[in-house]
Amino acid sequence: MDLSQLKPAKGSTKNKKRRGRGEGSGLAVTAGRGHKGYGSRGGSKSRAWFEGGQMPLQRRVPKFGFTNINKVVFQVVNIGKLEAVNIKGTINKTALYEHGLIRKKNIPVKILGQGELTKKISIEVDAVSKTAKEKIEKLGGTVSLG
């Protein structure tokens, strides 16, 4: 097979409209541009977002709310997960990362209180919830924020 012999499938293409080629074509005189107005003149070109004077979409859609640029997004780890993973020594971001409990080291980590804790642990993270802190300290563990 030769690339020069390729043709589109039958019925998949149409002939181009031949404008201004006599009355029989159905597109004579105004050539499908209508009478008068901006669109009938040569060189007219409407922008993609122009809706013919109708209120444009970007002005019709309501705009409200904002994005807080100071928002801190934490990677959360529940106490139940710490119980399941056997981490020796102080639990910090590096230890959590190595055991697959967090995905990135450079994003702040917060410990939450969901789950049960049975062993004494020492934690060094960015934030801890009140219930998590209570559960850790109840067993004699330590929490340091940094």
Side-chain angles (χ1 to χ4, degrees):
M1 184 172 190
D2 188 15
L3 291 178
S4 65
Q5 293 177 339
L6 289 176
K7 290 181 183 174
K10 189 171 184 192
S12 67
T13 58
K14 286 180 168 182
N15 292 335
K16 186 182 168 193
K17 285 185 178 180
R18 299 187 69 228
R19 294 159 190 272
R21 295 293 184 273
E23 288 297 326
S25 70
L27 289 166
V29 190
T30 57
R33 288 171 164 258
H35 297 279
K36 300 183 183 178
Y38 176 68
S40 70
R41 319 269 187 234
S44 70
K45 181 176 158 187
S46 66
R47 301 280 169 222
W49 58 86
F50 185 69
E51 300 185 25
Q54 176 176 305
M55 186 62 68
L57 181 66
Q58 75 271 20
R59 290 185 62 196
R60 290 198 306 265
V61 174
K63 291 154 192 72
F64 54 87
F66 74 105
T67 304
N68 185 357
I69 59 169
N70 298 318
K71 181 180 180 181
V72 179
V73 178
F74 289 101
Q75 298 179 89
V76 295
V77 179
N78 281 303
I79 277 187
K81 295 274 186 181
L82 296 176
E83 180 71 27
V85 177
N86 193 16
I87 301 174
K88 302 284 187 231
T90 304
I91 297 170
N92 55 15
K93 279 188 194 179
T94 310
L96 292 170
Y97 180 77
E98 287 168 359
H99 286 81
L101 294 175
I102 59 172
R103 289 180 181 226
K104 294 183 179 177
K105 287 185 202 174
N106 59 345
I107 297 175
V109 175
K110 184 172 185 175
I111 305 295
L112 300 181
Q114 193 172 29
E116 291 303 316
L117 191 63
T118 57
K119 56 190 175 187
K120 180 180 167 181
I121 57 172
S122 173
I123 291 185
E124 192 180 300
V125 288
D126 300 291
V128 180
S129 72
K130 195 158 76 170
T131 55
K133 190 172 183 179
E134 286 170 5
K135 285 180 181 181
I136 293 164
E137 290 174 347
K138 192 167 121 183
L139 293 167
T142 58
V143 175
S144 58
L145 304 176

